[in-house]
Amino acid sequence: MRALVQRVTEASVVVDGAVVSAIGPGLLILLGVARTDDEDVCDRVAEKIRGLRIFDDAEGRMAEPIGDREVLCVSQFTLYGDVRKGTRPSWSAAAPGDHARPLYERLCANLSAQRGVFGADMQVRSVNDGPVTLLVERDAPTG
């Protein structure tokens, strides 16, 4: 599972010209689900995101977690695009929709996140704050 996490002052998702979700200050998460991901991986990624101390405290240091701020999560299988060979990405590591969707929904529920529209052609708008952008990645347990 790969979560590209951005601290934002605002973010929104537009589908067919209509805003389907929008947040103020908080996190925008672009989430890629791998074929090997399971509920345990999903829960560990959600916990890691929840604990990220990337918001300013009273002294202006990045020391506070998300807390009561808003979260917007957008499914993005292209985070698993492999471009090591040639110029056309391979999507073989990305989970198919029937595997990815329940894990995407689980992560959103764990973080009380607003959502994009799974599988839709979306326009994601955001104002990155800082800018602060992190890649949170967890592999499935190896045994």
Side-chain angles (χ1 to χ4, degrees), residues 112-140:
S112 300
Q114 292 193 43
R115 297 162 169 86
V117 178
F118 189 90
D121 181 12
M122 296 175 274
Q123 288 71 53
V124 180
R125 299 175 179 154
S126 66
V127 178
N128 196 321
D129 182 18
V132 175
T133 303
L134 300 168
L135 180 62
V136 176
E137 190 168 24
R138 289 279 195 235
D139 294 327

Side-chain angles (χ1 to χ4, degrees), residues 10-56:
E10 63 184 68
S12 63
V13 175
V14 176
V15 176
D16 294 329
V19 175
V20 295
S21 56
I23 64 167
L27 295 178
L28 169 62
I29 302 168
L30 305 176
L31 185 70
V33 179
R35 291 180 177 275
T36 57
D37 288 340
D38 59 18
E39 290 180 347
D40 183 55
V41 170
C42 180
D43 294 347
R44 287 186 291 142
V45 168
E47 187 62 29
K48 182 69 166 187
I49 292 169
R50 186 178 300 103
L52 288 175
R53 296 176 1 154
I54 60 173
F55 292 92
D56 292 346

Side-chain angles (χ1 to χ4, degrees), residues 84-103:
R84 290 178 290 181
K85 291 184 180 180
T87 56
R88 182 175 181 178
S90 168
W91 312 113
S92 62
D98 62 340
H99 178 80
R101 187 178 196 144
L103 295 175

